[in-house]
Amino acid sequence: MPFEDKKKSRVTLVDVARRANVSRATASLVIRKSPLVGADTRARVEEAMRELGYVYNMGAARLRAERSHTVGVIVPNLTNPFFAELLSGIEAVIDSAGMVVILANSGDLVERQDMVMRRMREHGVDGVIVCPAAGTEPAFLHQLADWDLPLVQVLRQISEEVDYAGSDYAAGMRQAVDYLASLGHRTIAFAVHGPIHSAYRERVEGFCDAMQSRGLDPNMIVGLPIQIGEIADAAHLLFGEGEQPTAVICFNDVIALGLSAGLYDRGLKVGENFSLIGFDDVTDAEAMRPRLTSVSTGPVTIGGNAARLLLDRLADPIRPPRRVVNETVLHIRQSCGPVAISALQQSR
Amino acid sequence: MPFEDKKKSRVTLVDVARRANVSRATASLVIRKSPLVGADTRARVEEAMRELGYVYNMGAARLRAERSHTVGVIVPNLTNPFFAELLSGIEAVIDSAGMVVILANSGDLVERQDMVMRRMREHGVDGVIVCPAAGTEPAFLHQLADWDLPLVQVLRQISEEVDYAGSDYAAGMRQAVDYLASLGHRTIAFAVHGPIHSAYRERVEGFCDAMQSRGLDPNMIVGLPIQIGEIADAAHLLFGEGEQPTAVICFNDVIALGLSAGLYDRGLKVGENFSLIGFDDVTDAEAMRPRLTSVSTGPVTIGGNAARLLLDRLADPIRPPRRVVNETVLHIRQSCGPVAISALQQSR
DNA sequence: GAAAGCTTTTAGATCGATCTAAATGAACAG
DNA sequence: CTGTTCATTTAGATCGATCTAAAAGCTTTC
């Protein structure tokens, strides 16, 4: 008897076709929801699929159809909540397009990024969303494009010739500076850390431009450690010799959280006699005390934009490159206050 | 002329083989580092691969070899830093085994989990690491195992018959209770939230057991909102009628962060006249003020353990199921202090 | 110098889908 | 009743690797 009830091998399209009394080709059309098949045939095939517990074999399909329904995502760091939120935004959009995300971590190292990118190609991803590691050369991205690998840069823009999704960091900096200036602050520090890349430069330039256009000195830029635990202990770096700042703008919320702790340790009251603005507005900002005033860059939104950009490019590989830059929003909470009288007098 | 210089189609093994004057089969052996090929032949083939810019086609290989070098990871939520760290641990180990991670988010919903699991099967993952959505039935996992899909549960244990990696939450709770008791606290609240699952039950039971074995009342269990922003405003729930707690143990660090803010709002000084212990010890714990005393569960370690468990099972599908449970560590910082005199008197 | 044993190489079938181009059948016009 | 059109269905080739089993070379042994 040709019966084979016990778990033998996997159920394939041939099994389904046989069961439904149609050919392999017709069964294939049913799966792909082609309008070519008749209604009753379709029903019969679907019934057979259900009865046999058929599972589509994407791998086999991809081989022939050159579409893997798979998207690579490369981030420099997973433990930073900002990237986790970005990833979440990407995943949601990719998922709802019926595709899956293959994840990789570059550790912000170009060599690892090379490796990982190669692996993505081997796995035949349809496209890649990458937050380029610091130091990535434009040539690297161009080569990938030459290899016909659809690509989107996210957060950091290396090349103008490749799609990009990010946020308007410079405008965000202007919002922060304007707000502090409106509270009377004139000596404002900028606390930074981390590797240098386009997002870094954009923020620094945004800060400097905003300061200069108000006639303020943009040169109080302070470098801090990467690890959040060490940032607090480095808060004293804000107060070197010369003029003392009455407010600080942070490169990101990690720094803001760290400095908030460090300023507390020094006996300063954030929001009262010292002002602090974060950047990114991660969910923790709401939970700090005083609540952190922060420039929201919307990582989930950026992720979604990047994913949509990639889907669009998949649909039309030769469209010219696009930039999708979302607006930042200044979220005013409690960590800033009017400049203290004493500080004003000090700076005279 | 049979020359085809311009970018035509992708370079395949046949091209490489032709170039190196060997057969397809031999070229394949070289790629797979088989010891069967001679040294000079190997060199010739590798040379040809380099010259042609050959990229291995994993998809084609998988079809024949039934190995996709792909692992599915399903988490309930990406924006929670705890899961991001878990994911980071998984990714590192999977990556170093030469495989890639396909990521999916179940949103802690069983229906979505079903969908996502189906998609993983379609993509032919070699195995899956899943943090089961609250309400997952053991039958669900057993069915997957029946389908010959190697499986590891992480953080939440639904079935004893499936590999599991987690942390000893009950022991962690005991550490927290013991520590607070040693500081003189007798009325200790337990702040919880979120969906009910094994990790939830283990923590609650651990708390109750530890309290009871010291003759303390374990019934002060307080439910709080999910969103971190709302937790602070719910801090008053700790102080209902009846006896007032002098300390609180939190189900996780999200609650700890939220409550710390809420207690601050109520004018309580955490670490002085009220004690607070977190659970998980995420990186932010270090940055809070006062620094958060927290029970470390080591998400990165757990993730690594889960990944290794899966790799082991891939190597030996019939080995009996294992449990890998790592020890928790109480990280003492600044958020707890000896019970205040006034509170002691009040509770008499 | 032929048989045996070993290492190295290969032809051809195969995995499970999709694609192409052609066949089938029904409906309709002349 | 035949030729044409249109909607369905299908056989067979194909994607790019791996696997099996056998062939080809090369030593070694008697």
Side-chain angles (χ1 to χ4, degrees), chain B residues 189-200:
Chain B
F190 186 36
V192 302
H193 74 180
I196 313 262
H197 43 65
S198 75
Y200 178 94

Side-chain angles (χ1 to χ4, degrees), chain A residues 13 28 32 54 56 64:
Chain A
L13 251 199
S28 174
R32 285 175 288 154
Y54 170 74
Y56 186 63
R64 189 75 237 270

Side-chain angles (χ1 to χ4, degrees), chain A residues 279-330:
Chain A
F279 207 94
D280 283 345
D281 198 33
V282 297
T283 46
D284 290 355
E286 180 74 33
M288 271 181 57
R289 285 302 178 275
R291 291 181 171 85
L292 181 68
T293 292
S294 185
V295 177
S296 169
T297 50
V300 177
T301 307
I302 298 176
N305 288 341
R308 271 182 291 269
L309 224 37
L310 185 59
L311 293 175
D312 287 353
R313 176 147 305 281
L314 256 29
D316 175 7
I318 60 167
R319 84 180 335 158
R322 283 192 300 161
R323 269 174 68 94
V324 177
V325 174
N326 78 325
E327 296 299 312
T328 57
V329 177
L330 177 65

Side-chain angles (χ1 to χ4, degrees), chain A residues 220 236-245:
Chain A
M220 197 178 279
H236 64 91
L237 296 174
L238 290 175
F239 307 99
E241 44 211 43
E243 225 161 351
Q244 301 295 303

Side-chain angles (χ1 to χ4, degrees), chain B residues 33-262:
Chain B
K33 309 198 189 305
S34 157
L36 292 180
V37 293
D40 48 341
T41 314
R42 153 161 293 129
R44 243 183 21 258
V45 173
E46 282 172 346
E47 169 77 2
M49 284 175 26
R50 214 165 305 117
E51 285 172 3
L52 296 174
Y54 171 73
V55 176
Y56 186 62
N57 184 330
M58 190 74 73
R62 117 178 3 180
L63 183 54
R64 189 75 235 272
E66 316 259 65
R67 222 33 228 296
S68 69
H69 294 275
T70 276
V71 167
V73 176
I74 305 178
V75 294
N77 177 356
L78 236 23
T79 56
N80 182 333
F82 182 79
F83 289 110
E85 293 189 26
L86 176 82
L87 184 58
S88 168
I90 293 174
E91 199 271 342
V93 171
I94 293 298
D95 177 271
S96 68
M99 307 179 73
V100 299
V101 166
I102 291 188
L103 176 68
N105 190 333
S106 71
D108 228 337
L109 268 30
V110 286
E111 316 88 68
R112 270 197 58 73
Q113 183 172 259
D114 275 18
M115 259 216 71
V116 151
M117 195 64 92
R118 175 188 184 79
R119 200 167 283 171
M120 295 274 170
R121 291 219 294 149
E122 293 183 347
H123 278 274
V125 296
D126 290 337
V128 172
I129 296 173
V130 58
C131 173
T136 302
E137 299 290 333
F140 176 70
L141 298 187
H142 296 159
Q143 183 172 49
L144 291 171
D146 275 357
W147 287 337
D148 287 326
L149 185 64
L151 203 63
V152 173
Q153 320 169 73
V154 69
L155 296 177
R156 304 174 183 172
Q157 182 166 26
I158 302 296
S159 164
E160 308 243 320
E161 297 160 43
V162 177
D163 288 326
Y164 167 77
S167 200
D168 192 347
Y169 310 118
M173 277 300 157
R174 186 176 314 279
Q175 291 173 305
V177 169
D178 286 353
Y179 175 59
L180 286 177
S182 78
L183 291 172
H185 295 275
R186 312 214 76 237
T187 312
I188 303 172
F190 186 36
V192 302
H193 74 180
I196 313 262
H197 43 65
S198 75
Y200 178 94
R201 282 187 295 267
E202 257 189 64
R203 291 182 201 195
V204 172
E205 282 164 19
F207 172 77
C208 292
D209 288 354
M211 291 292 278
Q212 269 163 347
S213 73
R214 298 190 153 266
L216 302 178
D217 175 13
N219 290 318
M220 196 177 279
I221 298 183
V222 182
L224 296 175
I226 293 283
Q227 292 300 323
I228 188 162
E230 299 168 21
I231 293 174
D233 299 329
H236 64 91
L237 295 174
L238 289 175
F239 308 98
E241 47 211 42
E243 225 161 353
Q244 301 295 304
T246 60
V248 61
I249 297 177
C250 301
F251 177 80
N252 61 28
D253 279 355
V254 173
I255 295 183
L257 262 69
L259 276 185
S260 168

